[in-house]
Amino acid sequence: MNLLLDELRQKPEKRILFVCLGNICRSSAAETIMNALVRQAGREREFVTDSAGLIDYHQGEMADPRMRAHAARRGYSITHLSRPVRTTDFFDFDLIVGMDDRNIDTLRERAPSIETEQKIVRMTDFCQLKVADAVPDPYYGGAQGFENVLDLLEDACQGLLQQLTNEHKS
């Protein structure tokens, strides 16, 4: 993964796709949080982000209203409409960020080549403060699940941005 991150640091524009199961909770929140952090850092011209789901069940729908409400309390406005992962995404994006092992495994199965499979990374690998091996799906849980997801995503997106912009290069 370090080679991939080193290569991305050299590119003038970094294209990142966040992926979860339905693209109505985790990945749409990750996209929104990453965009906010990029904007705060004044690096909007350097990043293109999007999100997608592994299933098309929610295609065209807004994010889950509970996720939107919890995110809004933190100052985020999730406006993304759900879409499924497409084969072209593996070529169009530099980094494909899965939320849990199941997402990662499915993405690897769908990757059209070894080169595109190498773009797949785990969201929690970028956490700096939180210790977690996955961003859990909050869909069937309560309010605390959505808050936990947002905590993890804020931490991981900050870590991802720092690694990609080389802010803390050794």
Side-chain angles (χ1 to χ4, degrees):
M1 184 168 74
N2 285 339
L3 246 96
L4 175 63
L5 291 173
D6 288 342
E7 183 181 317
L8 283 176
R9 285 187 193 109
Q10 307 304 316
K11 296 182 95 174
E13 181 181 87
K14 294 133 185 95
R15 299 180 58 82
I16 305 166
L17 180 68
F18 297 98
V19 178
C20 68
L21 182 62
N23 192 213
I24 60 167
C25 291
R26 298 172 290 172
S27 58
S28 57
E31 174 191 359
T32 300
I33 291 167
M34 188 68 173
N35 284 338
L37 292 171
V38 165
R39 224 177 2 267
Q40 289 170 6
R43 304 184 87 98
E44 301 94 274
R45 292 182 181 196
E46 297 174 39
F47 293 89
V48 173
T49 64
D50 196 0
S51 61
L54 294 169
I55 60 173
D56 62 3
Y57 182 77
H58 299 287
Q59 186 168 348
E61 293 179 17
M62 294 282 294
D64 184 284
R66 298 167 296 171
M67 180 55 82
R68 289 193 321 242
H70 285 274
R73 281 185 225 129
R74 295 182 186 214
Y76 304 113
S77 176
I78 302 174
T79 59
H80 177 81
L81 298 179
S82 175
R83 73 169 184 85
V85 171
R86 301 179 290 253
T87 302
T88 56
D89 290 332
F90 289 93
F91 300 102
D92 294 343
F93 290 91
D94 303 306
L95 204 58
I96 300 171
V97 185
M99 299 295 144
D100 60 37
D101 286 342
R102 183 178 243 168
N103 299 158
I104 298 290
D105 291 345
T106 303
L107 286 165
R108 286 184 177 144
E109 289 170 8
R110 293 186 186 179
S113 68
I114 292 171
E115 292 80 19
T116 58
E117 183 178 346
Q118 293 172 345
K119 297 177 179 186
I120 301 165
V121 296
R122 181 182 335 279
M123 184 85 251
T124 53
D125 287 349
F126 300 99
C127 284
Q128 299 173 310
L129 304 172
K130 301 284 183 183
V131 177
D133 59 357
V135 178
D137 192 343
Y139 189 80
Y140 293 106
Q144 186 53 41
F146 288 94
E147 290 297 321
N148 181 49
V149 164
L150 290 169
D151 289 343
L152 287 168
L153 292 176
E154 286 175 337
D155 184 25
C157 285
Q158 184 64 49
L160 175 59
L161 179 61
Q162 286 179 355
Q163 284 199 34
L164 291 177
T165 58
N166 213 11
E167 289 176 2
H168 295 289
K169 184 176 180 179
S170 305

